[in-house]
Amino acid sequence: MIFNYRITETETLKHFLYRQRFSKKTISAIKQDGALLVNDTPRTVRHLLQPGDEVIVCLPKEHPSLSLIPYAQPLNVLYEDDWLLIVAKPAHQNSAPSREHPHESLVEQALAHMQRQEACGIPHIVTRLDRHTMGIVVIAKSRHIHHLMTLTSIDKIYECLCQGRIETAGVIEAPIGRASDSIINRVVTPDGKYAKTVYEPLATTETYTWCRVRLLTGRTHQIRVHFQHIGHAIVGDGLYGELHERYETQLLKCAEVHFTHPMTGEAVRVVCETPDFGQLLKTL
């Protein structure tokens, strides 16, 4: 991946790279296997730039971990450019490998996708979802873009179908911590970390509600724990509620993301319309 810049003020190359938000780790990698060119001449980060200089930054080729096995299955691509890959993850798939599910993860699927494109980077997951949560996952195509995305505010909107009837919008502020008897389960506890969830009902039946949800914090299992806490567990959530006879997964998805693109400065809005939770509500 190559970046071109035209210099407008006197400063060291190192200071310029920091202003462009290159991390120390990325700069170190560039010095080892990439290239820093000023007016087509290789330079060190100590070089003093002058107005009018042209700077070319060549990121090194990235190599995936040997534990990642490319998973050559088609992705549900919602948005893609030279820097980002945004996809819809199905339920029952890990975002990244785990001990219980070491392969066929989303990141391995994205790796195969990028290898077909002969990309010089590798996928780095920016927004991760639980195995059984479906919907939008943002993936950076290089270490540098991943770093930039961690500095970017990403607004994520979820949808869920929950047990019971919710008729008005509300806010859940309840601290979440790890359950004392489990390394997986989370619970609302005074000793937990601050957590805040905002929800709005979109449609209801006598026994279920379709909600639009926004997280104002990012705790593990936050939506699932908070909805259980208010007595409206997510449909199909066997960990924080109960399994459903019709659906084999929790009916929770990341439905929409908004952010400012770190390279173009443009506003990006990506929507995942499937599955249609309004239609699923009717089947319940």
Side-chain angles (χ1 to χ4, degrees), residues 2 7 16 22 37 39 43 75 79 90 93 104 115 127 133 138 153 163 165 168 213 230 267 274 276 278 282:
I2 299 174
I7 301 305
F16 172 77
F22 284 91
L37 304 178
N39 303 325
R43 297 295 187 185
L75 284 167
Y79 174 97
Q93 183 184 31
E104 300 186 357
Q115 287 180 342
T127 60
T133 301
V138 179
S153 176
Q163 302 278 353
R165 187 177 179 90
T168 59
V213 185
I230 64 171
T274 57
D276 184 335
K282 296 177 181 178

Side-chain angles (χ1 to χ4, degrees), residues 104-259:
E104 300 186 357
S105 64
L106 184 68
V107 73
E108 292 171 310
Q109 200 174 352
L111 177 61
H113 175 84
M114 290 180 61
Q115 287 180 342
R116 287 194 297 270
Q117 298 175 328
E118 298 183 349
C120 63
I122 61 174
H124 299 260
I125 292 181
V126 179
T127 60
R128 185 183 302 242
L129 292 179
D130 295 340
R131 176 176 175 82
H132 298 298
T133 301
M134 61 192 87
I136 299 172
V137 174
V138 179
I139 300 170
K141 289 187 173 183
S142 73
R143 181 190 298 115
H144 177 54
I145 300 302
H146 181 266
H147 170 68
L148 295 182
M149 288 299 291
T150 64
L151 305 176
T152 301
S153 176
I154 304 175
D155 188 17
K156 294 179 286 185
I157 298 171
Y158 293 78
E159 292 180 10
C160 70
L161 294 181
C162 64
Q163 302 278 353
R165 187 177 179 90
I166 299 177
E167 297 183 340
T168 59
V171 177
I172 308 168
E173 283 188 274
I176 294 175
R178 194 188 301 271
S180 60
D181 59 349
S182 172
I183 62 171
I184 298 174
N185 289 35
R186 265 55 177 183
V187 294
V188 168
T189 170
D191 299 329
K193 294 181 179 179
Y194 176 76
K196 185 175 183 179
T197 304
V198 178
Y199 63 89
E200 173 191 6
L202 300 177
T204 64
T205 67
E206 289 301 317
T207 50
Y208 299 101
T209 303
W210 171 25
C211 280
R212 181 179 176 92
V213 185
R214 178 177 276 107
L215 296 179
L216 300 185
T217 53
R219 307 305 175 206
T220 300
H221 299 173
Q222 181 171 322
I223 293 175
R224 300 162 66 191
V225 174
H226 270 177
F227 271 72
Q228 178 198 44
H229 178 65
I230 64 171
H232 296 282
I234 306 299
V235 173
D237 187 349
L239 187 60
Y240 296 105
E242 57 186 33
L243 298 175
H244 192 273
E245 60 183 9
R246 182 185 295 269
Y247 295 104
E248 297 180 351
T249 188
Q250 60 203 29
L251 297 184
L252 171 65
K253 75 169 180 177
C254 181
E256 195 171 327
V257 296
H258 307 251
F259 60 90

